Amino acid sequence: MAGAGQRRGKKDDNGIGTAIDFVLANARLVLGVGGAAMLGIATLAVKRMYDRAISAPSSPTRLGQSGKRSWEEPNWLGSSSRLLTQDMKSSLSRSLQTLPTEPSAADTDFCRPTKAKPSAKRSQVELKKSRLRLSLQEKLLAYYRRRVAIPADEQARAKQAAVDICAELRSFLRAKLPDMPLRDMYLSGSLYDDLQVVTADHIQLIVPLMLEQNLWSCIPGEDTIMNIPGFYLVRRENPEYFPRGSSYWDRCVVGGYLSPKTVADTFEKVVAGSINWPAIGSLLDYVIRPAAPPADLTLEVQYDADRHLFIDFLPSLTLGDIVLVAKPHRLAQNDNLWRLSLRPAETARLRALDQGDSGCRCLCLKIFKAVCKLNPALGHLTASQLTNVILHLSQEESDWSQDMLADRFLQALKGLIRHLEAGVLPSALNPKVNLFSELTPEEVDELGYTLYSSLSEPEVLLQT
């Protein structure tokens, strides 16, 4: 074994081989054959490590035929810093200097700090969201111009037709029913508030009743056995002092309460049965006829070849500071209830907020209204419900500038879905009133499903 070590180390060991052979030769005398063998193996390993170290700069690591390290070369050889000679340090330094410095040419995990990666990802996500918002903003504005906005001449023609019909009806009622206590009728609705969308096709003619304040009182719906906030019973008072017949409207009392349905039926007989609308229409150059059922107290007016206007006659009454309208509850068993009129105040607040900061609330509302009007699956959502979603969002967000339209549209959409999931949409003016109280559970589920399905791609709502 000592001879083998001597032959292998004669190349360039600078005398180290001779010293090792001398030690091995004399170790046999001291340690015996077994001890000398163990010492020889250990010494040979040290010598090979030394040989590899001093030959590394000039001769690369030998690879076997399979492309792996030879079993003769330990895997941990290059991991010890103690074996690096000056030449190896120089080579390593040159290799580090030649590493690529451009991010595109280097491994990102090696060249960039680990703390910068989340920031970079966040910036990419924010950039993507910004592009999506800009894209949605452009699509919303294009949808508004293409489908939502009503030409000014169409609005003017519809308003003029409504004014003409209102004047004729007022004259007829004064002549035919002079003892009917009514205040001046007036036109109302989204067409007059510049909130109507798609087409100028409907308007309301408010017919205010005059009630004796000492003969009638309002009972909130939540104080009745029906427990429906937002509706009222109108009770006839003091019958012992003012017997039946003391008021013109006693003829519309059912069970001690003024019935909105009976009041509406009274007007329907006049509007649909007593007025010669074809004659009036020919005089005004319109085609006028009562609308087909179930549209009670509604006139259909054709004022152009392809334009129709529906005029809803809406009796109303005022007791103190409470304004009620004869718009019945959707459930037949509650047809004795008068509806609290919140729409004028809701609209006034919305417009005041927009005027205060030149906001886009009305624009956002009109887009939502058009989406619901053109999508049959969303037809059960009313203008009042959508208005209150915008009003609630206005309490949370202060920036309603025009360039925030896409953000606010998405927020309003998510807010509407949350309210549908809860089954409750409180009125912004009267939180006790649940504006979803007249929807059935099936309708709520259908609305929620349709809107939730559009969250990932809101543009789908604009394709109607």
Side-chain angles (χ1 to χ4, degrees), residues 147-150 154 191 196-202 308 373:
R147 301 301 305 272
V148 180
I150 303 174
E154 181 180 347
L191 182 60
Q196 196 154 129
V197 297
V198 184
T199 57
D201 59 0
H202 64 279
H308 294 254
K373 184 174 184 177

Side-chain angles (χ1 to χ4, degrees), residues 173-245:
L173 290 176
R174 286 177 177 173
K176 185 75 174 179
L177 302 169
D179 59 335
M180 181 180 285
L182 298 174
R183 292 188 173 91
D184 286 339
M185 294 179 285
Y186 61 92
L187 294 168
S188 179
S190 57
L191 182 60
Y192 270 82
D193 298 324
D194 192 28
L195 290 175
Q196 196 154 129
V197 297
V198 184
T199 57
D201 59 0
H202 64 279
I203 199 169
Q204 292 177 337
L205 177 59
I206 306 298
V207 185
L209 314 183
M210 290 182 63
L211 296 181
E212 299 82 359
Q213 298 293 317
N214 63 324
L215 299 183
W216 308 93
S217 64
C218 294
I219 302 177
E222 59 268 28
D223 294 341
T224 68
I225 192 172
M226 292 169 283
N227 190 23
I228 306 178
F231 290 84
Y232 283 77
L233 287 172
V234 178
R235 184 169 59 190
R236 176 67 159 85
E237 301 288 357
N238 302 319
E240 62 276 12
Y241 301 107
F242 301 94
R244 187 180 178 89

Side-chain angles (χ1 to χ4, degrees), residues 437-456:
S437 64
E438 296 178 80
L439 293 175
T440 65
E442 293 77 16
E443 291 168 345
V444 170
D445 289 343
E446 181 182 3
L447 291 169
Y449 174 78
T450 303
L451 294 173
Y452 187 81
S453 300
S454 67
L455 270 182
S456 59

Side-chain angles (χ1 to χ4, degrees), residues 344-363:
E346 293 169 349
T347 303
R349 175 174 292 189
L350 190 73
R351 295 179 68 86
L353 289 172
D354 262 2
Q355 291 173 0
D357 59 8
S358 301
C360 63
R361 297 172 187 83
C362 291
L363 176 60

Side-chain angles (χ1 to χ4, degrees), residues 92-288:
L92 180 60
S93 177
R94 286 194 300 269
S95 299
L96 292 174
Q97 291 174 2
T98 58
L99 283 175
T101 57
E102 292 296 326
S104 60
D107 180 75
T108 55
D109 291 338
F110 179 78
C111 294
R112 290 185 295 186
T114 55
K115 292 184 179 179
K117 291 170 65 177
S119 176
K121 289 182 179 179
R122 282 196 300 269
S123 63
Q124 292 177 358
V125 171
E126 291 173 358
L127 179 60
K128 185 177 180 180
K129 287 183 178 180
S130 176
R131 290 174 178 172
L132 290 175
R133 283 196 299 268
L134 289 175
S135 175
L136 180 59
Q137 178 96 357
E138 295 169 355
K139 291 179 180 179
L140 288 172
L141 293 175
Y143 180 76
Y144 177 80
R145 292 189 295 266
R146 186 181 74 254
R147 301 301 305 272
V148 180
I150 303 174
D153 62 329
E154 181 180 347
Q155 295 188 57
R157 288 280 290 145
K159 289 179 181 179
Q160 185 58 51
V163 169
D164 294 340
I165 299 298
C166 181
E168 290 295 329
L169 183 61
R170 184 186 296 113
S171 299
F172 178 85
L173 290 176
R174 286 177 177 173
K176 185 75 174 179
L177 302 169
D179 59 335
M180 181 180 285
L182 298 174
R183 292 188 173 91
D184 286 339
M185 294 179 285
Y186 61 92
L187 294 168
S188 179
S190 57
L191 182 60
Y192 270 82
D193 298 324
D194 192 28
L195 290 175
Q196 196 154 129
V197 297
V198 184
T199 57
D201 59 0
H202 64 279
I203 199 169
Q204 292 177 337
L205 177 59
I206 306 298
V207 185
L209 314 183
M210 290 182 63
L211 296 181
E212 299 82 359
Q213 298 293 317
N214 63 324
L215 299 183
W216 308 93
S217 64
C218 294
I219 302 177
E222 59 268 28
D223 294 341
T224 68
I225 192 172
M226 292 169 283
N227 190 23
I228 306 178
F231 290 84
Y232 283 77
L233 287 172
V234 178
R235 184 169 59 190
R236 176 67 159 85
E237 301 288 357
N238 302 319
E240 62 276 12
Y241 301 107
F242 301 94
R244 187 180 178 89
S246 301
S247 172
Y248 178 90
W249 300 109
D250 281 341
R251 67 193 67 189
C252 299
V253 171
V254 176
Y257 298 93
L258 183 63
S259 170
K261 186 177 185 303
T262 306
V263 172
D265 290 342
T266 300
F267 278 99
E268 184 180 10
K269 293 176 182 178
V270 175
V271 172
S274 301
I275 302 178
N276 188 355
W277 289 114
I280 295 176
S282 61
L283 180 65
L284 299 175
D285 197 21
Y286 303 141
V287 176
I288 308 174

